[in-house]
Amino acid sequence: MSETDGRTLGQRDAAHHLHPFTDNRELEASGGATVIERGEGCYLWDDQGHRYLDALAGLWCVNVGYGRKELADVAARQMERLAYYNTFFNTTTGPTAKLAETLAALMPGHLNTVLFANSGSEVCDSAIRLARFYWQKVGKPRKRIVIGREEGYHGSTLAALSAGGIGAMHAQGGTGLPDFAHIEAPYRFLHGHDMPEAAFAAQAAQALEKKIGELGAENVALFICEPIQGAGGLIFPPEGYLAEVQRICQKHDVLFALDEVISAFGRRGARSAAELFGLSPDFVTLAKGLSSGYQPISALMVSDPIAEVLRDAEGGLAHGFTYSGHPVAAAVALENLAILKRERLVERVRDDIGPYFCSALARLAEHPLVGEVRGLGLLGAVELIQDKARHQFFDPPGVVAAVCRENLKARGIIVRAVRDTLLIAPPFVVTREQVDDIVDTLEAALEDIRHELGIIAEDQKLAEAVHEADKPLAGRVALVTGASRGIGAEVARTFARAGATVVTVARDAEALEARRAEIESEGGRAVPVAVDLSRSDGTAEAALMAEIERQGGQLDILVLNAALLGELEPLAALNSKVWDEVIAVNLTAPFRLLRLLHPFLAFSDAGRCIFVTSGAARGAHADWSAYAASKAGLEAMMRAYAAENRKFGLKINAVDPGAMPTGMRASAFPDEDPRSVTPVEAAGPVFLRLAVPECSYSGAIVPVVASAEAAQ
């Protein structure tokens, strides 16, 4: 924590750091980034002490695992000896020269020349530029067009994203540069699930030949593709596809670049996909596993015929980067490759842990939400689907997998979600026990999601029932706490419009009277009871019992909404008096009220109890310590109460309103624009669907926004 302003490191980071591929506004609102502090093997720890099994190896790169002292030692020795020198002006360094020689020996025989850079984006960019320069040198300057694939990812520099086919990237800043074209990805599960593999492979490859014909082979410089599309959702090519697109490139005199930023150095159980699939590309891009992420370094392997032409560039090759072949990065890469060889990690992926991993993932194939499981080596994809029989995908895409990813993170497993596919790529040192942990936890998360989706489906049916009924709560009596303003007031208005008599409870008598007048002006009925529920002298209970008796001893619906935010401080810094006050209002008072009113709810033929919770209960906001603890306790109370009454027809659920412009939120986020969050009016329909007699589920936490969207 900062000694000057009381903010956590994650909050300070969110204030000053523009994170890549992140909703930065949402990150700031959620309390800042998770600060990863250390790693060992396959595990990471954040600065709060939480441990995570990193089932994505960073970003597909930490192949040898975290905490390798030998790599740190090599880096330190090289920094002491020579921290930096460039490879411009006829110079090199020892590690750089040795790494170039080593890569030439590791790659297929025709790839003997390397250009170094710092990232996958840079070497993909370099392949595009050098391909165009090659055609210029051999007298075919019109050959400039680069063909990529839909859902392809080659980096985020301008040329690399232009070659790629990720729509979300093209939407920010335009579709990229001129002289780029794209063909359909060989995504069989999406485009050809009912076709024989060989037929689909031929069809997908023909898309390239067709595109070259449209553009004119005399204008096409390069076709670039990933052997298995990573960031596009781990799209595995059908058998024979890669060999066929290579043949098409050779037939039409088009250069072929294989983007192996993810795949090289053992991820698929081979040193390269070129070797695995028997390919002879003109360019191969390398990065991630080259140093296992311990240093930023990448390499472009250039085939012998292309390299010979580039060596003859008049005035020298005008391309490269300040840190091309950086000696520290090169030294670390050499030691990383030595570890792979010394510990036979590539062979382990091929012969042992890779087959075990794919077999373990395959257990999920029969799950109702799993449309397809794809795996090779230590690359695995679990694609989710709404309806297997009809091959119906989720709409909108991406929501279900993202929820599942966050569920897994809360359980201590890190994966990636792309559209509705979960991507898994653990370090090469992962054990069988850790693989089982990943798969077992994923299965448990899928069961959670399956349950939640069942609730959403029923929520849609309830929305229809509520819409068709004129007064779905006619003859019912509801009691709503915290009803003087905000969510409680909106719920009271909604219930009254639906025909219920609403007992409104809060401390502010004047505000309750105003709410009564509003409700009655719309033809509803409200009975205000101004009491302080946090008092333990029995006065509040007596007043409520007297009012329920005036209602003929009837109570059908109880909404436990009253809450106190308290001071926003970490637990260790929180005043104990503040803790006691927050717990008294948010947890103890609902317990006493529930105990008092349970007999009435149990007697009703449609008893309903709805708790109001918060994302803070699941760690959404740093430093909301007392409030978060009280809401977590409230969720536990809800589940216990639901389990105790499952046999008796009493339905108990919780609603998470999310971000709404309430007075409590305004005090927590004083600079927030109220128009940027969900309006309070969205809460009413969700509470109403949980309150009607037709609602049959219990023990659920229902989010307002998701439920409102599901009903549209």
Side-chain angles (χ1 to χ4, degrees), residues 149-173:
R149 298 185 301 188
E150 295 172 0
E151 305 302 336
Y153 180 84
H154 304 292
S156 55
T157 56
L158 195 52
L161 80 84
S162 300
I166 304 293
M169 297 180 70
H170 289 182
Q172 296 184 3

Side-chain angles (χ1 to χ4, degrees), residues 350-366:
R350 183 190 66 206
D351 302 329
D352 177 22
I353 197 62
Y356 185 84
F357 169 74
C358 292
S359 176
L361 271 187
R363 300 200 313 259
L364 300 173
E366 299 305 313

Side-chain angles (χ1 to χ4, degrees), residues 110-111 113 134 138 255 281-282 302-312:
H110 69 296
L111 296 166
T113 305
Y134 166 80
V138 299
L255 299 181
D282 299 291
V302 184
S303 67
D304 294 341
I306 308 296
E308 285 305 305
V309 172
L310 297 179
R311 291 181 196 278
D312 291 333

Side-chain angles (χ1 to χ4, degrees), residues 32-369:
T34 299
V35 180
I36 301 299
E37 198 166 67
R38 65 186 181 94
E40 185 69 32
C42 294
Y43 291 108
L44 297 166
W45 285 263
D46 66 22
D47 63 350
Q48 304 301 307
H50 301 128
R51 189 184 77 167
Y52 306 93
L53 199 169
D54 183 7
L56 196 64
L59 275 175
W60 327 83
C61 54
V62 189
N63 293 349
V64 299
Y66 296 97
R68 289 280 189 163
K69 186 176 184 300
E70 55 265 60
L71 293 178
D73 289 345
V74 162
R77 288 197 298 269
Q78 183 59 46
M79 285 181 183
E80 291 174 355
R81 183 178 180 86
L82 178 66
Y84 169 75
Y85 199 69
N86 66 71
T87 54
F88 294 21
F89 319 130
N90 302 331
T91 60
T92 191
T93 71
T96 311
K98 292 174 185 176
L99 181 59
E101 184 179 44
T102 299
L103 291 176
L106 286 175
M107 292 294 110
H110 69 296
L111 296 166
N112 290 295
T113 305
V114 58
L115 181 142
F116 288 112
N118 312 287
S119 68
S121 298
E122 290 170 341
V123 285
C124 288
D125 222 295
S126 297
I128 292 166
R129 184 181 180 200
L130 295 182
R132 288 173 170 173
F133 180 50
Y134 166 80
W135 289 119
Q136 179 185 327
K137 286 286 294 178
V138 299
K140 298 182 179 181
R142 290 176 56 191
K143 291 176 76 70
R144 292 184 51 80
I145 297 175
V146 175
I147 300 176
R149 298 185 301 188
E150 295 172 0
E151 305 302 336
Y153 180 84
H154 304 292
S156 55
T157 56
L158 195 52
L161 80 84
S162 300
I166 304 293
M169 297 180 70
H170 289 182
Q172 296 184 3
T175 55
L177 299 169
D179 293 330
F180 285 87
H182 300 87
I183 61 172
E184 191 172 86
Y187 191 177
R188 187 181 175 204
F189 186 69
L190 179 63
H191 300 305
H193 71 280
D194 53 355
M195 293 178 63
E197 184 172 13
F200 180 72
Q203 174 183 293
Q206 280 305 304
L208 176 61
E209 188 145 39
K210 181 180 178 182
K211 181 62 69 174
I212 292 173
E214 291 173 0
L215 299 168
E218 69 278 9
N219 299 314
V220 180
L222 178 75
F223 172 61
I224 184 168
C225 72
E226 305 153 89
I228 296 177
Q229 292 178 242
L234 280 183
I235 301 170
F236 285 56
E239 187 175 353
Y241 170 84
L242 289 171
E244 180 62 9
V245 295
Q246 177 177 263
R247 184 195 68 78
I248 291 168
C249 287
Q250 293 169 346
K251 172 185 174 182
H252 294 285
D253 202 19
V254 171
L255 299 181
F256 179 33
L258 201 60
D259 182 350
E260 295 218 44
V261 166
I262 291 174
S263 62
F265 308 111
R267 176 59 60 186
R268 294 174 175 84
R271 289 178 296 188
S272 68
E275 173 189 296
L276 182 66
F277 296 114
L279 303 174
S280 301
D282 299 291
F283 298 99
V284 170
T285 60
L286 309 171
K288 299 185 184 291
L290 177 55
S291 69
S292 284
Y294 278 70
Q295 282 284 291
I297 186 169
S298 59
L300 175 66
M301 302 302 303
V302 184
S303 67
D304 294 341
I306 308 296
E308 285 305 305
V309 172
L310 297 179
R311 291 181 196 278
D312 291 333
E314 295 178 8
L317 182 65
H319 183 73
F321 308 92
T322 299
Y323 300 120
S324 290
H326 192 290
V328 176
V332 169
L334 280 167
E335 180 60 21
N336 174 68
L337 296 176
I339 291 171
L340 291 173
K341 182 178 181 180
R342 187 165 61 243
E343 299 183 11
R344 298 182 59 80
L345 291 178
V346 177
E347 292 83 356
R348 181 174 187 264
V349 173
R350 183 190 66 206
D351 302 329
D352 177 22
I353 197 62
Y356 185 84
F357 169 74
C358 292
S359 176
L361 271 187
R363 300 200 313 259
L364 300 173
E366 299 305 313
H367 192 280
L369 291 181

Side-chain angles (χ1 to χ4, degrees), residues 337-577:
L337 296 176
I339 291 171
L340 291 173
K341 182 178 181 180
R342 187 165 61 243
E343 299 183 11
R344 298 182 59 80
L345 291 178
V346 177
E347 292 83 356
R348 181 174 187 264
V349 173
R350 183 190 66 206
D351 302 329
D352 177 22
I353 197 62
Y356 185 84
F357 169 74
C358 292
S359 176
L361 271 187
R363 300 200 313 259
L364 300 173
E366 299 305 313
H367 192 280
L369 291 181
V370 175
E372 184 176 62
V373 174
R374 304 186 283 271
L376 178 63
L378 281 179
L379 276 176
V382 178
E383 183 147 4
L384 308 182
I385 195 165
Q386 183 172 341
D387 189 323
K388 278 189 176 185
R390 294 186 294 165
H391 202 71
Q392 180 181 343
F393 292 83
F394 289 106
D395 185 20
V399 175
V400 176
V403 171
C404 194
R405 177 198 63 208
E406 293 307 302
N407 187 304
L408 283 164
K409 184 180 178 184
R411 296 168 183 263
I413 305 286
I414 294 174
V415 301
R416 186 172 178 178
V418 172
R419 294 185 306 280
D420 279 306
T421 302
L422 298 164
L423 312 182
I424 307 167
F428 296 177
V429 295
V430 68
T431 66
R432 292 190 173 203
E433 291 77 15
Q434 289 168 336
V435 167
D436 290 339
D437 189 15
I438 294 167
V439 175
D440 291 346
T441 306
L442 176 51
E443 186 171 23
L446 287 173
E447 280 301 297
D448 275 3
I449 301 303
R450 182 184 180 190
H451 176 65
E452 290 180 23
L453 288 174
I455 290 170
I456 291 172
E458 183 167 343
D459 204 38
Q460 290 175 310
K461 295 177 184 176
L462 288 173
E464 294 169 4
V466 168
H467 179 72
E468 292 172 1
D470 181 36
K471 298 287 186 181
L473 296 183
R476 302 292 175 182
V477 176
L479 188 151
V480 181
T481 67
S484 60
R485 58 181 59 86
I487 294 168
E490 182 61 32
V491 171
R493 281 190 290 265
T494 301
F495 285 2
R497 291 180 192 127
T501 296
V502 185
V503 179
T504 56
V505 182
R507 285 177 292 185
D508 189 337
E510 185 177 344
L512 284 179
E513 186 58 33
R515 300 294 84 76
R516 182 196 63 76
E518 292 168 359
I519 289 171
E520 292 187 353
S521 71
E522 295 181 347
R525 183 163 184 263
V527 181
V529 180
V531 292
D532 184 352
L533 294 174
S534 65
R535 292 181 59 176
S536 58
D537 59 5
T539 55
E541 287 89 339
L544 291 174
M545 287 296 290
E547 187 53 52
I548 291 172
E549 288 177 9
R550 281 192 286 272
Q551 301 303 322
Q554 180 184 355
L555 181 64
D556 304 288
I557 305 155
L558 173 62
V559 177
L560 297 168
N561 170 61
L564 177 67
L565 182 61
E567 294 179 11
L568 302 184
E569 293 283 352
L571 279 171
L574 192 69
N575 183 287
S576 60
K577 182 180 178 182

